[in-house]
Amino acid sequence: MIPTMLGALILLPILGFLANGSIAFFGRRSDGDSATTARHPLVTVIGPGVILAAFGVAVALFLDMKGAPEQALHIVRYGQWMPVGNLVIHWSLQLDQLSILMVLVITGVGSLIHLFSVGYMRDDASYARYFAYLNLFVAFMLVLVLGASYPVLFVGWEGVGLASYLLIGFWFSDKANAEAGKKAFVVNRVGDFGFLVAMFLIWVTTQQLDFVGAHAALGGMAGSPVVLAIALFLFIGCAGKSAQLPLYIWLPDAMAGPTPVSALIHAATMVTAGVYLVARAAPIFSGAPEASLVITAVGALTALFAATIALRQWDIKKVLAYSTVSQLGYMFVGVGSGAYTAGVFHLVTHAFFKALLFLGAGSVIHAMHHAYHHTHRHDDPQDLRNMGGLAKFMPATATAMTLATLAIAGIPPLAGFFSKDEILASVFTRAQGSPLASASLLGIPGSTVLYLAYGIGVLTALLTAIYMTRLLLLTFYGTNRTGEAEQEMLHEAPMIMTAPVLVLGALTVFGGWLNLPALLPLGPVGLLEQWLEPVTGKSASRLAGAGHLDHSTETTLVAVATIVAVVGIVFALLRYRKPITDKAHSPVDDSVLARAYHVDGLVNALVVRPISAFANVVLTRGVETGVDRAFSAGGSMLSRTAALVGSKLQDGDVGKYAWLLAAGALALLAALTLS
């Protein structure tokens, strides 16, 4: 039964992709655009329907696993992929506590985003193509989290890269959108090179690439240089996919895609793949404390770096984009410090409140675009300076986004408070006595790195509360800046868009109950910790050491985190309470933060342009021109010879042509038979 259900999980979105892709292809009009109205009903049913069905299968699998936890690990082989000497790779899927959790998040949140898309993309000419790409993305994401070996995981890893390229550049007629898709694709390939090197090292070292065998072999080599190298190269891949320094630059530009795409890719799925991989490869990372310190340090620096940029962004989606980069940094601080459950816990809660924020922003953009369209104004519907006072017109969206803002700020008892607090507490605990504290990073004691990570985490929490409250105030409160004519057209999004937002709002409120701490026993304590224990428990214990927080210290840490969040919110309320003028009367913001520290400009100047110049001068003008000339000279002689031979053969004798055709077919058949 389980092999069939696992296969169905991946097959359902693939069938959706094929069906919607066929509708998009065969429904083209003579001008090349996809059919719109005529095909909507079928696409509307198939697109969200296959993901909802996959979610139903995931729930059934979870209930089955919950009933028999001792038999929770299932590895299913569907066939042989590529036998090469001693290397035999199977199409295998692995179902365990970690993979089913990820599947529930992907299909559950993914279903809500698909439903939201029905309303958001309703009038788009490429409606069917959009859902085809969205279904394809989910299919590859499921392959990624269900793969039982590194090669199968890598197929999903590259697949989501391809699908994200198609979705980010969905409106490819706009050059900026096409460039954003290309940028995401190229930057991710940089990280993927590290992943490939890690896989090569794993095979050379263990002669295995499946998780169970490779992790068992490498677990007995803890502390060796090869394990350290594997861990570091794996993290390079994770940094690319999950937008960590310095490979984060693709994610803010990825906001060029439709807003539901941002919610799916940048909240609940693709960008969390790196965090998932660290948790999946916990036996490797726990055997390399230095690599774990690197992950912790990079995560902390990324969290702070992105949070500072978010303070001065005016595009509502750009604020959320840098917020995503920052929150991913938190997750890496968690899994990097060996608190794998805490990192995965924040992955789950972040999927709830960040998907809510993106979909809420989508509702706002949809309303603003609708108003400007009807009044024939061409102002930017995503610019915060053009909004204000929208709570009057969109009360449900405003309420939901207020809850999400409080959650990401870390206000109890909302979901973000519990997951973020668990990460900070875990880092603080490990700084007081653990293998990580005893290790070092570039000569800096591990304990110092961990204490710094904790301090940076607290500071980032303060900045998060400030920039998210700023976004909320500029969007929903104060004076409306759209104009009188536009105000008459502003309204709440259709129910097909509002309902998913409200569901995510409920998950944002109660999602923290998945792993309640003993300090705040509002319900069953540590459910997620217990659930993931068979997968990550041993690795987490290896890095945890004997450190343990006493009750008073834990209470103090919770109080500090809460006070910091409240201070950030109050500061933002005081700082941004004054009304701002509309964009037309606002000066251009050329601040360093608004320009994201000019990193893109530096990358273009130091990397892109030199490589382009080298390619143009050396490859295009040198190698390519030389090759063209050589082949041109040889080709000219070849063409003259062929013309001479052809003139002798092409004499109009049909019988001769038939004979030559038969002889060629027989020769081809013989070659295939003998081979």
Side-chain angles (χ1 to χ4, degrees):
M1 189 66 178
I2 287 180
T4 303
M5 296 175 75
L6 279 178
L9 268 175
I10 297 173
L11 186 60
L12 281 166
I14 290 177
L15 291 175
F17 161 71
L18 294 174
N20 290 323
S22 299
I23 292 172
F25 183 79
F26 293 107
R28 293 183 182 275
R29 302 194 302 259
S30 59
D31 59 1
D33 285 334
S34 299
T36 55
T37 307
R39 299 291 187 179
H40 271 198
L42 192 55
V43 175
T44 300
V45 171
I46 295 173
V50 294
I51 309 302
L52 282 167
F55 177 65
V57 174
V59 171
L61 283 170
F62 169 73
L63 293 175
D64 183 69
M65 293 175 65
K66 191 171 181 291
E70 70 280 356
Q71 301 175 352
L73 175 61
H74 300 275
I75 299 175
V76 182
R77 290 183 176 178
Y78 293 94
Q80 200 172 86
W81 179 12
M82 53 168 73
V84 182
N86 295 329
L87 175 61
V88 180
I89 300 174
H90 297 273
W91 280 112
S92 301
L93 301 181
Q94 178 170 320
L95 182 68
D96 60 13
Q97 289 85 351
L98 177 59
S99 61
I100 191 62
L101 177 66
M102 295 298 296
V103 168
L104 286 169
V105 172
I106 294 165
T107 56
V109 177
S111 298
L112 297 173
I113 293 170
H114 275 69
L115 290 171
F116 183 92
S117 297
V118 170
Y120 192 88
M121 300 296 291
R122 176 180 58 190
D123 299 323
D124 196 281
S126 297
Y127 184 83
R129 177 168 63 89
Y130 170 83
F131 275 102
Y133 292 167
L134 215 61
N135 290 162
L136 180 66
F137 179 91
V138 173
F140 277 124
M141 194 67 205
L142 290 172
V143 172
L144 192 158
V145 299
L146 287 171
S149 67
Y150 283 99
V152 177
L153 184 152
F154 192 71
V155 170
W157 191 273
E158 292 300 293
V160 295
L162 170 63
S164 66
Y165 166 76
L166 297 172
L167 287 167
I168 293 168
F170 181 76
W171 291 313
F172 56 83
S173 57
D174 188 327
K175 185 179 178 181
N177 294 343
E179 289 294 326
K182 184 170 69 175
K183 184 177 182 180
F185 190 84
V186 171
V187 174
N188 272 275
R189 300 295 75 74
V190 175
D192 294 350
F193 175 76
F195 196 155
L196 286 170
V197 173
M199 276 201 295
F200 175 78
L201 291 174
I202 291 172
W203 169 250
V204 170
T205 305
T206 68
Q207 299 294 293
Q208 298 188 73
L209 285 172
D210 62 286
F211 295 141
V212 174
H215 292 168
L218 292 171
M221 302 170 61
S224 66
V226 69
V227 173
L228 175 60
I230 291 170
L232 290 175
F233 278 113
L234 276 178
F235 178 59
I236 292 174
C238 297
K241 193 67 75 180
S242 295
Q244 297 296 283
L245 288 171
L247 300 178
Y248 77 94
I249 55 176
W250 67 270
L251 194 146
D253 287 0
M255 297 299 106
T259 303
V261 170
S262 302
L264 183 63
I265 295 179
H266 309 130
T269 53
M270 176 177 160
V271 295
T272 61
V275 180
Y276 164 78
L277 180 55
V278 175
R280 172 61 69 196
I284 297 176
F285 288 100
S286 64
E290 295 82 2
S292 294
L293 283 178
V294 170
I295 297 172
T296 304
V298 171
L301 292 173
T302 302
L304 179 61
F305 177 82
T308 59
I309 297 174
L311 291 169
R312 291 297 296 268
Q313 298 301 305
W314 293 103
D315 186 309
I316 188 171
K317 289 177 67 176
K318 282 291 182 71
V319 177
L320 297 179
Y322 283 107
S323 172
T324 297
V325 176
S326 182
Q327 295 302 306
L328 287 166
Y330 265 113
M331 298 176 206
F332 277 109
V333 169
V335 294
S337 61
Y340 301 107
T341 298
V344 173
F345 184 26
H346 198 57
L347 183 158
V348 175
T349 61
H350 178 264
F352 298 155
F353 59 69
K354 185 53 62 71
L356 168 55
L357 287 167
F358 269 117
L359 295 188
S363 295
V364 169
I365 294 169
H366 181 271
M368 295 284 292
H369 178 78
H370 178 77
Y372 285 148
H373 177 75
H374 280 271
T375 58
H376 305 289
R377 281 181 62 181
H378 301 286
D379 289 0
D380 186 355
Q382 296 182 196
D383 196 308
L384 293 168
R385 291 166 292 190
N386 293 332
M387 301 177 187
L390 293 182
K392 176 182 176 182
F393 310 99
M394 308 176 70
T397 302
T399 301
M401 288 193 69
T402 299
L403 285 173
T405 297
L406 295 174
I408 195 174
I411 298 297
L414 302 177
F417 163 77
F418 291 106
S419 57
K420 188 183 298 184
D421 181 71
E422 186 170 340
I423 290 173
L424 294 175
S426 298
V427 174
F428 190 88
T429 303
R430 283 159 174 75
Q432 297 184 353
S434 69
L436 284 177
S438 302
S440 64
L441 178 62
L442 300 176
I444 304 172
S447 58
T448 303
V449 174
L450 293 170
Y451 278 127
L452 285 173
Y454 171 79
I456 291 173
V458 172
L459 177 58
T460 302
L462 174 67
L463 299 179
T464 302
I466 294 173
Y467 69 68
M468 286 305 306
T469 305
R470 169 183 178 266
L471 180 148
L472 193 70
L473 292 174
L474 294 179
T475 305
F476 292 106
Y477 301 101
T479 305
N480 182 264
R481 298 178 292 278
T482 56
E484 294 183 5
E486 285 74 25
Q487 290 180 23
E488 297 179 2
M489 305 304 303
L490 292 172
H491 54 78
E492 194 70 79
M495 184 52 63
I496 192 68
M497 295 169 63
T498 303
V501 171
L502 296 179
V503 173
L504 288 168
L507 292 171
T508 297
V509 174
F510 299 107
W513 289 30
L514 287 172
N515 205 48
L516 291 172
L519 184 67
L520 297 170
L522 302 175
V525 173
L527 290 178
L528 192 60
E529 186 85 35
Q530 298 169 29
W531 180 253
L532 294 178
E533 170 68 24
V535 181
T536 61
K538 184 177 180 180
S539 299
S541 299
R542 181 186 291 181
L543 292 180
H548 181 72
L549 293 179
D550 58 54
H551 184 78
S552 61
T553 303
E554 190 174 1
T555 303
T556 301
L557 293 179
V558 171
V560 169
T562 305
I563 291 170
V564 164
V566 172
V567 168
I569 292 172
V570 172
F571 175 85
L573 289 172
L574 296 174
R575 173 66 176 82
Y576 301 106
R577 64 180 178 177
K578 296 181 180 179
I580 63 170
T581 58
D582 59 65
K583 186 182 178 184
H585 298 90
S586 299
V588 177
D589 193 345
D590 285 320
S591 65
V592 173
L593 294 182
R595 299 296 181 182
Y597 295 104
H598 302 284
V599 171
D600 275 327
L602 290 171
V603 171
N604 284 330
L606 300 177
V607 180
V608 177
R609 291 174 188 170
I611 292 176
S612 297
F614 173 81
N616 184 54
V617 174
V618 177
L619 299 180
T620 303
R621 297 182 184 179
V623 177
E624 187 177 333
T625 302
V627 172
D628 284 347
R629 288 176 179 175
F631 273 92
S632 179
S636 186
M637 183 180 296
L638 182 63
S639 64
R640 287 196 296 268
T641 304
L644 178 63
V645 174
S647 66
K648 300 296 184 183
L649 294 175
Q650 296 182 20
D651 55 3
D653 188 342
V654 178
K656 185 185 292 183
Y657 296 163
W659 183 87
L660 289 171
L661 180 62
L666 289 172
L668 180 61
L669 181 61
L672 292 173
T673 303
L674 293 173
S675 64

